[in-house]
Amino acid sequence: MDKSFPPIFQPKMISLQNISKQYSGKYLFRNLSLHIEDGNRIAFVGRNGTGKSTLMKIILGEVETDSGKIIQSRFNSIGYLPQDSVYHTGRTLFEEAATAFDDLNRLHERIREIGNEISDITSMESGNPPKLQGLIDEMGQAQSILEHREGYNIEIKVKQILSGLGFNEKDMSRMTEEFSGGWQMRIALAKLLLREPSILLLDEPTNHLDMESLEWIEGYLKSYRGSIVLVSHDSRFLDNLAERVIEISMGKATEYTGNYSSYLTQKAQRLEMLQSSLRNRQRMIDTTTRFIERFRYKNTKATQVQSRIKMLEKLEHIEIDKEESSIFFDFPDPPRAGRAVMEIEDLTKSYGNHVVLKEISLTIERGDRIALLGVNGSGKSTLARVIADIDTFQDGYRKPGHNAVISYYAQNIVEGLDPDKTVLQTLDIIAPLKSPGELRTLLGCFLFRDDDVFKPVSVLSGGEKSRLALAKMILKPANLLIMDEPTNHLDAQSKAILQRSLKRFSGAYVIVSHDRDFLAPLINKVVVLTDNNLNIYHGNVDDYLDKYHREQEDPAPRENLPENGPPLHVKKTQKRMAAENRQQLYKKLKPLKGTLEKIEKEIASYEKKKLAIENSFSDQNTYKNDVLIQSLNIEYSRITSRLDSLYDTWTATEEEIGKITED
């Protein structure tokens, strides 16, 4: 039988013993040991750059160690999903996914060959009993593998996995080169799951998944029969899957039993115990040292002194990892904005004949914390770019509110960064009035220190580019933040700091993300894009997910309705009534919005005059002219008084608009 088909019920394991790896004289880890057994669920955690991906590649055999050895079962099969750089071409989606079963197709062919050989032997008069028994045994083993791998249901299995990862029936016949980078990663993941290796190595598998696919893959991996090793910054994903956590930090690996939350608790307890032991050890050293110094030269105490010296020499060294640097920042206070920061109505966006958004309406108000959800390809990033005025659209309108200032973080962070510019130049372009010292201080908050600021963007890691993109965002005070997958390249500590900064931010924001734990404390409204349209849910992400799961388990009754919804005449009636309601609302709001626009223009004019006077106040020559300074003070008082009155009227008008809109 072909040696590429090992027995399926043999024990599988891999053991790393005292391995070390360094680059340019700097150790990623030294004397690291790790043991992976059947059915293990292991998470590698640690800051970006600590060597988690490298360790995976060492297990895979793609990277050699500097020292130590790796022992593994000859029955191992290892499957690896890298973070990126996966591309498929030349086959349809179904054909590409089905290549995961090439070995099983060879098994089917071998079973047919064995059947023919058995027929030949049994037809011979003398026969060959030993050979016949060997062929029967080989066929039995081959059939066991096919049954274990569901080799008789290949088409069903392929479609099941692809469907779970978000592909639809029409996608099956599409050529793989038609799919974008995120979908290419899903194809690679589908092939891995179909192949069912004994050890799955998954490096940031959630980066390219929407929330529905993420929940599906969690359920699938929970029942996976092999071992799983994960690298992920999605804490809820790790909580739901990991049973052991290996923290890689400062060149060492520390193992914790339990999931990610348990790891955080144990780590805090371990640190507290180590610090307590270190304090007790230091007190004992101080006391013993004082005794030695006091009685060093007394003959009567010589034996005791020597005993204490030997005791100090034998003391076990206690080492506490140095606290690794973390980013620290706050978004600047946002400019005062109107009640509605952004209004979108009946907006349609297409790429050629492909309609992405169809007649959608959305109002973003002050204080809104919106999660923008939907399956990949539903138009989340497109809508984010339209709101941020990065993308154009065909129909409808997009109207920023009074004094709306938008800051945008792109999912593909390279979009907003010039690879030929240095880190420092990237900020200098958008803040030319700030000195290099001020910019370097800001960059230091994002861990760009010393010569790091002169690195070209092209050589930065994904995490470094993310931090630079965040630094760009906080240079310009904004009252509406649009963030498309901001956590994809951030480590756990940086993600937590971004989360805390958003909690403190008093403006509005729209976040496209599948990271449930990141979104959970931030969101008060969920906008879900589906079938070119959107639905709005008030509450946080967990509220929405609970509602979604209930609807999946107990869908609303659909008696007397065709498969695709209500009859056409009902749809037309509903659409006409909705249009009439919008028209009535428009008539009520038009005069109020006209008043609001006039007030906003007057406010803008007075703010400009106020700023001009403030600039005069900062000019020392102004104070040389007593008459001028007196007239400026009078004018400044008049302007500020008028502005106070205008803002009061503006607020009252906005409140009236709000009441009409809510009714």
Side-chain angles (χ1 to χ4, degrees):
M1 182 176 170
D2 192 326
K3 296 296 184 183
S4 64
F5 307 113
I8 56 176
F9 299 114
Q10 297 295 329
K12 290 103 179 168
M13 55 76 69
I14 185 166
S15 180
L16 282 62
Q17 299 180 358
N18 299 314
I19 67 165
S20 298
K21 184 64 186 176
Q22 63 173 324
Y23 290 103
S24 304
K26 182 181 178 182
Y27 277 94
L28 281 177
F29 26 78
R30 184 181 292 179
N31 299 325
L32 181 149
S33 295
L34 171 66
H35 193 70
I36 303 172
E37 295 180 340
D38 267 348
N40 279 176
R41 302 288 189 265
I42 298 173
F44 290 166
V45 302
R47 300 293 296 272
N48 287 343
T50 54
K52 303 185 296 296
S53 297
T54 300
L55 186 55
M56 279 196 164
K57 291 175 183 177
I58 287 173
I59 294 171
L60 187 64
E62 286 189 357
V63 172
E64 292 186 1
T65 63
D66 297 327
S67 60
K69 60 182 179 178
I70 302 174
I71 302 171
Q72 60 177 306
S73 164
R74 66 189 180 92
F75 302 115
N76 278 353
S77 58
I78 301 177
Y80 172 58
L81 181 76
Q83 286 191 32
D84 47 32
S85 303
V86 174
Y87 190 70
H88 306 87
T89 182
R91 295 188 181 96
T92 66
L93 170 64
F94 182 87
E95 290 168 345
E96 185 63 44
T99 61
F101 292 111
D102 282 350
D103 57 345
L104 297 187
N105 288 326
R106 291 199 300 273
L107 264 186
H108 280 296
E109 180 60 33
R110 178 58 184 151
I111 287 172
R112 284 191 290 271
E113 291 173 359
I114 293 171
N116 292 333
E117 290 181 43
I118 289 174
S119 295
D120 291 342
I121 292 173
T122 54
S123 65
M124 294 169 58
E125 188 174 329
S126 59
N128 189 337
K131 185 176 181 180
L132 179 62
Q133 187 59 49
L135 288 170
I136 291 172
D137 290 344
E138 184 180 349
M139 178 178 279
Q141 191 173 26
Q143 288 172 337
S144 293
I145 293 174
L146 285 174
E147 289 170 6
H148 174 71
R149 294 269 311 275
E150 299 182 33
Y152 297 104
N153 299 300
I154 288 177
E155 182 177 354
I156 294 172
K157 191 75 181 280
V158 169
K159 289 186 175 181
Q160 176 192 13
I161 296 295
L162 289 174
S163 174
L165 289 173
F167 295 96
N168 59 43
E169 186 65 33
K170 292 179 181 178
D171 291 330
M172 301 296 166
S173 57
R174 289 176 60 191
M175 299 301 292
T176 51
E177 53 264 36
E178 296 177 23
F179 293 96
S180 64
W183 290 98
Q184 292 282 346
M185 297 303 297
R186 292 197 196 200
I187 297 171
L189 179 55
K191 289 167 64 177
L192 273 185
L193 299 180
L194 290 166
R195 196 172 293 131
E196 292 188 319
S198 58
I199 300 175
L200 264 181
L201 305 177
L202 304 177
D203 195 353
E204 295 290 0
T206 67
N207 276 0
H208 306 283
L209 299 178
D210 51 59
M211 205 164 287
E212 289 78 5
S213 298
L214 176 56
E215 295 209 319
W216 179 87
I217 193 68
E218 274 184 4
Y220 187 90
L221 292 177
K222 282 178 182 178
S223 59
Y224 190 75
R225 285 174 284 196
S227 301
I228 302 172
V229 180
L230 297 165
V231 171
S232 177
H233 294 135
D234 187 325
S235 53
R236 190 176 297 192
F237 185 69
L238 295 181
D239 263 349
N240 290 338
L241 288 172
E243 296 170 355
R244 288 166 58 197
V245 173
I246 309 291
E247 181 188 50
I248 302 173
S249 175
M250 313 298 283
K252 296 180 298 183
T254 307
E255 183 167 337
Y256 299 84
T257 302
N259 63 11
Y260 185 76
S261 294
S262 176
Y263 145 72
L264 292 176
T265 302
Q266 291 177 64
K267 181 182 178 181
Q269 291 170 345
R270 177 176 175 270
L271 180 60
E272 187 177 342
M273 289 172 61
L274 283 174
Q275 289 172 336
S276 177
S277 297
L278 188 61
R279 287 193 296 269
N280 293 336
R281 180 179 185 276
Q282 192 59 49
R283 279 196 295 268
M284 191 270 286
I285 290 173
D286 293 342
T287 301
T288 305
T289 302
R290 285 196 298 270
F291 180 90
I292 292 170
E293 293 299 322
R294 182 177 180 185
F295 298 112
R296 182 185 293 275
Y297 303 108
K298 287 196 174 185
N299 291 333
T300 56
K301 299 286 187 180
T303 302
Q304 292 169 291
V305 167
Q306 288 302 313
S307 174
R308 282 167 170 74
I309 290 174
K310 289 179 181 178
M311 182 181 68
L312 288 181
E313 290 173 350
K314 292 179 181 179
L315 274 181
E316 184 180 349
H317 179 63
I318 297 175
E319 184 177 6
I320 297 179
D321 290 345
K322 296 177 183 176
E323 189 69 27
E324 294 177 317
S325 298
S326 296
I327 63 172
F328 58 97
F329 72 98
D330 268 315
F331 290 100
D333 291 335
R336 184 172 179 178
R339 179 192 60 82
V341 187
M342 176 66 63
E343 291 181 273
I344 287 173
E345 188 163 333
D346 293 334
L347 186 142
T348 295
K349 167 68 179 177
S350 303
Y351 293 102
N353 294 326
H354 178 52
V355 179
V356 181
L357 306 171
K358 185 176 181 180
E359 297 178 359
I360 67 165
S361 297
L362 175 67
T363 298
I364 304 172
E365 300 182 344
R366 276 195 314 256
D368 270 352
R369 279 97 166 85
I370 296 174
L372 193 53
L373 306 182
V375 300
N376 282 10
S378 60
K380 303 186 299 294
S381 295
T382 299
L383 179 55
R385 289 194 297 269
V386 167
I387 295 171
D389 204 20
I390 305 297
D391 264 9
T392 58
F393 51 93
Q394 282 74 35
D395 292 305
Y397 78 82
R398 166 195 177 276
K399 182 186 176 185
H402 170 66
N403 204 30
V405 183
I406 300 171
S407 190
Y408 173 63
Y409 180 104
Q411 177 180 5
N412 182 4
I413 48 179
V414 177
E415 287 178 9
L417 300 173
D418 186 338
D420 298 325
K421 295 287 189 290
T422 67
V423 171
L424 186 59
Q425 288 170 337
T426 299
L427 296 197
D428 185 52
I429 291 170
I430 57 176
L433 298 181
K434 289 191 177 290
S435 69
E438 288 176 303
L439 294 178
R440 294 189 68 160
T441 298
L442 172 61
L443 286 168
C445 298
F446 291 88
L447 308 185
F448 294 104
R449 294 172 182 146
D450 302 324
D451 290 342
D452 287 343
V453 302
F454 302 117
K455 285 182 179 179
V457 169
S458 58
V459 305
L460 299 182
S461 68
E464 288 172 325
K465 288 174 182 174
S466 295
R467 299 200 304 268
L468 182 57
L470 286 173
K472 279 184 64 179
M473 285 193 81
I474 69 172
L475 272 175
K476 183 177 83 168
N479 43 38
L480 176 57
L481 307 180
I482 311 296
M483 308 188 82
D484 193 354
E485 297 289 2
T487 66
N488 267 3
H489 297 281
L490 294 179
D491 55 45
Q493 290 88 338
S494 299
K495 187 172 73 173
I497 289 162
L498 171 60
Q499 188 184 63
R500 287 196 291 269
S501 299
L502 286 169
K503 278 184 183 178
R504 293 189 291 263
F505 180 64
S506 59
Y509 47 74
V510 176
I511 302 176
V512 179
S513 177
H514 58 263
D515 191 323
R516 295 153 296 180
D517 274 356
F518 177 75
L519 293 174
L522 299 176
I523 299 305
N524 61 19
K525 188 182 291 185
V526 176
V527 174
V528 182
L529 280 166
T530 177
D531 298 328
N532 310 126
N533 213 325
L534 60 79
N535 295 297
I536 299 173
Y537 299 84
H538 293 275
N540 61 30
V541 171
D542 286 331
D543 294 334
Y544 161 70
L545 287 174
D546 287 343
K547 182 179 177 63
Y548 172 78
H549 289 144
R550 288 196 303 272
E551 289 174 351
Q552 294 298 307
E553 293 168 3
D554 185 24
R558 300 175 59 82
E559 292 87 351
N560 304 318
L561 290 180
E563 187 176 346
N564 293 322
L568 183 61
H569 71 278
V570 175
K571 286 184 178 179
K572 288 182 177 179
T573 302
Q574 290 173 342
K575 194 167 185 178
R576 177 178 53 77
M577 291 176 65
E580 289 174 357
N581 289 337
R582 285 199 301 271
Q583 186 66 22
Q584 292 297 322
L585 185 63
Y586 174 76
K587 288 179 180 179
K588 291 181 182 179
L589 292 177
K590 185 178 179 181
L592 290 171
K593 287 189 174 182
T595 301
L596 202 63
E597 285 183 12
K598 290 179 182 177
I599 296 171
E600 287 171 355
K601 287 179 182 178
E602 195 172 354
I603 286 174
S605 173
Y606 275 97
E607 288 282 7
K608 188 175 180 180
K609 293 176 183 177
K610 179 170 171 275
L611 180 62
I613 294 176
E614 287 171 347
N615 289 335
S616 297
F617 284 152
S618 63
D619 186 351
Q620 292 183 353
N621 292 324
T622 301
Y623 295 92
K624 296 177 182 178
N625 187 331
D626 292 339
V627 175
L628 176 61
I629 194 68
Q630 186 176 3
S631 65
L632 286 175
N633 275 316
I634 293 170
E635 180 65 6
Y636 191 76
S637 296
R638 186 186 72 82
I639 288 172
T640 53
S641 176
R642 178 58 180 159
L643 276 172
D644 287 341
S645 175
L646 285 170
Y647 273 122
D648 288 342
T649 307
W650 176 60
T651 301
T653 307
E654 281 213 317
E655 287 175 353
E656 192 172 350
I657 290 173
K659 288 177 183 177
I660 294 172
T661 306
E662 290 167 4
D663 287 344

Short mmCIF file of all heavy atoms in Angstrom, two decimals, residues 394-412:
data_model
loop_
_atom_site.label_atom_id
_atom_site.label_comp_id
_atom_site.label_asym_id
_atom_site.label_seq_id
_atom_site.Cartn_x
_atom_site.Cartn_y
_atom_site.Cartn_z
N GLN A 394 -23.45 56.19 -6.87
CA GLN A 394 -24.21 56.53 -8.07
C GLN A 394 -25.48 57.34 -7.77
O GLN A 394 -25.76 58.32 -8.46
CB GLN A 394 -24.61 55.25 -8.83
CG GLN A 394 -23.47 54.63 -9.64
CD GLN A 394 -22.44 53.92 -8.78
OE1 GLN A 394 -22.78 53.33 -7.77
NE2 GLN A 394 -21.17 54.00 -9.17
N ASP A 395 -26.26 56.92 -6.76
CA ASP A 395 -27.54 57.57 -6.49
C ASP A 395 -27.69 57.83 -5.00
O ASP A 395 -27.00 57.23 -4.17
CB ASP A 395 -28.71 56.70 -6.98
CG ASP A 395 -28.75 56.59 -8.49
OD1 ASP A 395 -28.78 57.64 -9.15
OD2 ASP A 395 -28.72 55.45 -9.00
N GLY A 396 -28.68 58.70 -4.66
CA GLY A 396 -28.92 59.05 -3.27
C GLY A 396 -28.02 60.20 -2.84
O GLY A 396 -27.40 60.87 -3.67
N TYR A 397 -27.98 60.45 -1.53
CA TYR A 397 -27.10 61.52 -1.09
C TYR A 397 -26.43 61.19 0.24
O TYR A 397 -26.90 60.38 1.03
CB TYR A 397 -27.83 62.86 -1.03
CG TYR A 397 -28.73 63.08 0.17
CD1 TYR A 397 -28.18 63.52 1.39
CD2 TYR A 397 -30.11 62.91 0.10
CE1 TYR A 397 -28.99 63.75 2.49
CE2 TYR A 397 -30.92 63.13 1.19
CZ TYR A 397 -30.36 63.55 2.39
OH TYR A 397 -31.15 63.78 3.48
N ARG A 398 -25.29 61.82 0.42
CA ARG A 398 -24.48 61.71 1.64
C ARG A 398 -24.25 63.13 2.13
O ARG A 398 -23.66 63.95 1.42
CB ARG A 398 -23.15 61.03 1.33
CG ARG A 398 -22.09 61.17 2.42
CD ARG A 398 -20.71 60.80 1.88
NE ARG A 398 -19.66 61.00 2.87
CZ ARG A 398 -19.06 62.14 3.12
NH1 ARG A 398 -19.40 63.25 2.44
NH2 ARG A 398 -18.12 62.23 4.04
N LYS A 399 -24.72 63.43 3.35
CA LYS A 399 -24.61 64.80 3.85
C LYS A 399 -23.96 64.81 5.22
O LYS A 399 -24.55 64.34 6.21
CB LYS A 399 -25.98 65.45 3.94
CG LYS A 399 -25.90 66.90 4.42
CD LYS A 399 -27.26 67.50 4.64
CE LYS A 399 -27.14 68.90 5.22
NZ LYS A 399 -28.45 69.46 5.57
N PRO A 400 -22.73 65.33 5.32
CA PRO A 400 -22.11 65.49 6.64
C PRO A 400 -22.88 66.52 7.45
O PRO A 400 -23.42 67.49 6.92
CB PRO A 400 -20.70 66.00 6.32
CG PRO A 400 -20.49 65.70 4.86
CD PRO A 400 -21.84 65.76 4.23
N GLY A 401 -22.96 66.29 8.77
CA GLY A 401 -23.63 67.24 9.64
C GLY A 401 -22.78 68.48 9.88
O GLY A 401 -21.65 68.61 9.39
N HIS A 402 -23.34 69.41 10.65
CA HIS A 402 -22.64 70.66 10.96
C HIS A 402 -21.31 70.37 11.65
O HIS A 402 -21.24 69.64 12.63
CB HIS A 402 -23.51 71.54 11.86
CG HIS A 402 -22.76 72.72 12.40
ND1 HIS A 402 -22.32 73.74 11.60
CD2 HIS A 402 -22.37 73.03 13.68
CE1 HIS A 402 -21.70 74.63 12.34
NE2 HIS A 402 -21.71 74.23 13.60
N ASN A 403 -20.25 70.94 11.07
CA ASN A 403 -18.90 70.85 11.66
C ASN A 403 -18.42 69.40 11.79
O ASN A 403 -17.62 69.08 12.66
CB ASN A 403 -18.87 71.53 13.03
CG ASN A 403 -17.47 71.98 13.41
OD1 ASN A 403 -16.66 72.30 12.55
ND2 ASN A 403 -17.16 71.97 14.69
N ALA A 404 -18.92 68.52 10.92
CA ALA A 404 -18.48 67.12 10.96
C ALA A 404 -17.04 67.02 10.48
O ALA A 404 -16.69 67.53 9.42
CB ALA A 404 -19.38 66.25 10.10
N VAL A 405 -16.21 66.36 11.27
CA VAL A 405 -14.81 66.13 10.91
C VAL A 405 -14.56 64.62 11.02
O VAL A 405 -14.73 64.04 12.09
CB VAL A 405 -13.84 66.89 11.83
CG1 VAL A 405 -12.41 66.67 11.37
CG2 VAL A 405 -14.18 68.38 11.86
N ILE A 406 -14.17 64.02 9.91
CA ILE A 406 -14.07 62.55 9.84
C ILE A 406 -12.62 62.12 9.80
O ILE A 406 -11.78 62.73 9.12
CB ILE A 406 -14.80 62.03 8.59
CG1 ILE A 406 -16.28 62.41 8.65
CG2 ILE A 406 -14.66 60.52 8.46
CD1 ILE A 406 -17.03 62.13 7.37
N SER A 407 -12.32 61.05 10.52
CA SER A 407 -11.01 60.41 10.46
C SER A 407 -11.23 58.95 10.10
O SER A 407 -12.11 58.29 10.65
CB SER A 407 -10.29 60.54 11.81
OG SER A 407 -8.95 60.12 11.69
N TYR A 408 -10.40 58.43 9.17
CA TYR A 408 -10.64 57.10 8.58
C TYR A 408 -9.43 56.20 8.75
O TYR A 408 -8.29 56.61 8.49
CB TYR A 408 -10.98 57.27 7.10
CG TYR A 408 -11.08 55.99 6.31
CD1 TYR A 408 -12.06 55.04 6.60
CD2 TYR A 408 -10.21 55.73 5.25
CE1 TYR A 408 -12.17 53.86 5.86
CE2 TYR A 408 -10.31 54.57 4.49
CZ TYR A 408 -11.28 53.63 4.81
OH TYR A 408 -11.38 52.48 4.08
N TYR A 409 -9.69 54.96 9.20
CA TYR A 409 -8.66 53.93 9.31
C TYR A 409 -9.03 52.82 8.34
O TYR A 409 -10.07 52.18 8.47
CB TYR A 409 -8.62 53.39 10.74
CG TYR A 409 -7.59 52.30 11.00
CD1 TYR A 409 -6.41 52.59 11.68
CD2 TYR A 409 -7.82 50.99 10.61
CE1 TYR A 409 -5.48 51.59 11.93
CE2 TYR A 409 -6.89 50.00 10.86
CZ TYR A 409 -5.73 50.31 11.52
OH TYR A 409 -4.81 49.32 11.77
N ALA A 410 -8.18 52.58 7.34
CA ALA A 410 -8.49 51.61 6.28
C ALA A 410 -8.18 50.19 6.72
O ALA A 410 -7.22 49.95 7.46
CB ALA A 410 -7.70 51.95 5.02
N GLN A 411 -9.01 49.24 6.26
CA GLN A 411 -8.74 47.83 6.53
C GLN A 411 -7.39 47.44 5.95
O GLN A 411 -6.58 46.79 6.62
CB GLN A 411 -9.83 46.96 5.93
CG GLN A 411 -9.57 45.46 6.11
CD GLN A 411 -10.66 44.60 5.51
OE1 GLN A 411 -11.58 45.10 4.88
NE2 GLN A 411 -10.57 43.31 5.71
N ASN A 412 -7.17 47.79 4.70
CA ASN A 412 -5.86 47.58 4.10
C ASN A 412 -5.01 48.80 4.42
O ASN A 412 -5.03 49.80 3.72
CB ASN A 412 -5.99 47.40 2.58
CG ASN A 412 -4.65 47.12 1.92
OD1 ASN A 412 -3.63 46.98 2.60
ND2 ASN A 412 -4.65 47.05 0.61
#
